[in-house]
Amino acid sequence: MTQTAAITEVITTLQDAENRFGFVRVEDEKFFPEWYEGLSEITEAEKASVDVVRRRYLYHRAGGDLLEGTVILLLVSPILVLALSGFYDPPFRIKAESSVELVLDDGEEILRGRIDVLVLQDQLWVMVLESKKTTLSVWAAVPQALAYMMANPNSSKPVFGMVTNGDDILFVKVTQTNTPQYDLSRVFAPFASARELYAVLQILKRIGQLISPAS
């Protein structure tokens, strides 16, 4: 009999994701160069806009821990808007709380969940964004992001992810050709310096440029 379970309940560690989906981490700079290579400079105007986002986040964060929805409102959404890759504009579309369903290879278990923010180009998944409240480590979002990224209907194309708890931001890349593979960027910490958030914007712009039809 097929059983149904919530992704958030059964995929809680990297080991869970690796065991259930056969993931292999590729610690090779050539696998995921998008987070550090070919990044374009951002303008002074963009830096000023990022500074506003960071100040607002720090102001609210100073009052205590923030819930997941607040992190999305204060940090994730504004940074996506600022990205010149235009994730809110054609040819991309944004879906919030997008439902996903995964049937495991043995056919005996179905995993269901909701992606916080999904960026699409037509039917091609471009980016998965998963957030957690500030009381949880950013690493707590990685296993679920990997699971959601495995639901990409275009398994021949790489898909990117961004996970954050507000205080820290991490990028993920997944490919599914043959063996499912993934790797991670370094952790960016907007709390420490505005330069960290500038770099996040540069990476988002780079990913947008790479998957844009005009590129």
Side-chain angles (χ1 to χ4, degrees):
M1 181 177 178
T2 303
Q3 296 181 332
T4 301
I7 288 174
T8 53
E9 294 178 357
V10 297
I11 308 293
T12 59
T13 67
L14 279 176
Q15 187 173 29
D16 289 337
E18 291 174 351
N19 289 343
R20 285 179 181 263
F21 304 112
F23 266 119
V24 173
R25 181 173 180 185
V26 181
E27 295 188 79
D28 185 336
E29 290 185 352
K30 295 180 181 178
F31 178 79
F32 188 12
E34 292 88 353
W35 75 267
Y36 66 86
E37 190 175 85
L39 304 180
S40 59
E41 292 295 325
I42 59 176
T43 66
E44 292 302 316
E46 289 171 327
K47 289 180 181 179
S49 296
V50 169
D51 291 343
V52 170
V53 172
R54 181 171 179 269
R55 281 198 301 270
R56 286 174 178 161
Y57 177 79
L58 295 181
Y59 166 74
H60 289 279
R61 185 68 174 89
D65 294 322
L66 302 177
L67 296 177
E68 181 179 327
T70 308
V71 170
I72 291 176
L73 286 173
L74 290 175
L75 194 64
V76 176
S77 293
I79 289 297
L80 278 180
V81 171
L82 288 176
L84 286 185
S85 51
F87 289 123
Y88 280 4
D89 302 311
F92 305 113
R93 293 188 183 277
I94 297 285
K95 287 189 177 181
E97 293 291 322
S98 183
S99 298
V100 294
E101 186 173 282
L102 289 163
V103 180
L104 299 192
D105 288 341
D106 58 14
E108 296 182 356
E109 188 174 23
I110 296 175
L111 302 182
R112 288 178 175 159
R114 288 184 177 273
I115 300 172
D116 289 339
V117 181
L118 176 62
V119 182
L120 303 99
Q121 177 193 314
D122 294 326
Q123 296 303 308
L124 173 65
W125 286 25
V126 173
M127 177 167 286
V128 170
L129 291 103
E130 177 69 9
S131 63
K132 294 294 182 185
K133 55 188 178 182
T134 53
T135 53
L136 295 177
S137 165
V138 69
W139 297 102
V142 174
Q144 289 157 25
L146 288 173
Y148 295 143
M149 292 163 81
M150 280 297 292
N152 179 11
N154 299 280
S155 57
S156 63
K157 300 289 186 179
V159 64
F160 299 93
M162 187 178 94
V163 297
T164 182
N165 63 354
D167 295 348
D168 298 308
I169 298 172
L170 180 70
F171 289 90
V172 188
K173 180 179 180 179
V174 164
T175 63
Q176 293 188 53
T177 52
N178 300 318
T179 301
Q181 298 179 321
Y182 76 98
D183 199 15
L184 310 170
S185 72
R186 75 167 177 88
V187 174
F188 295 87
F191 233 119
S193 167
R195 291 182 179 275
E196 295 285 277
L197 209 49
Y198 299 161
V200 168
L201 179 57
Q202 287 179 294
I203 295 166
L204 287 171
K205 288 173 60 177
R206 177 61 176 156
I207 292 172
Q209 291 163 0
L210 287 172
I211 49 78
S212 173
S215 63

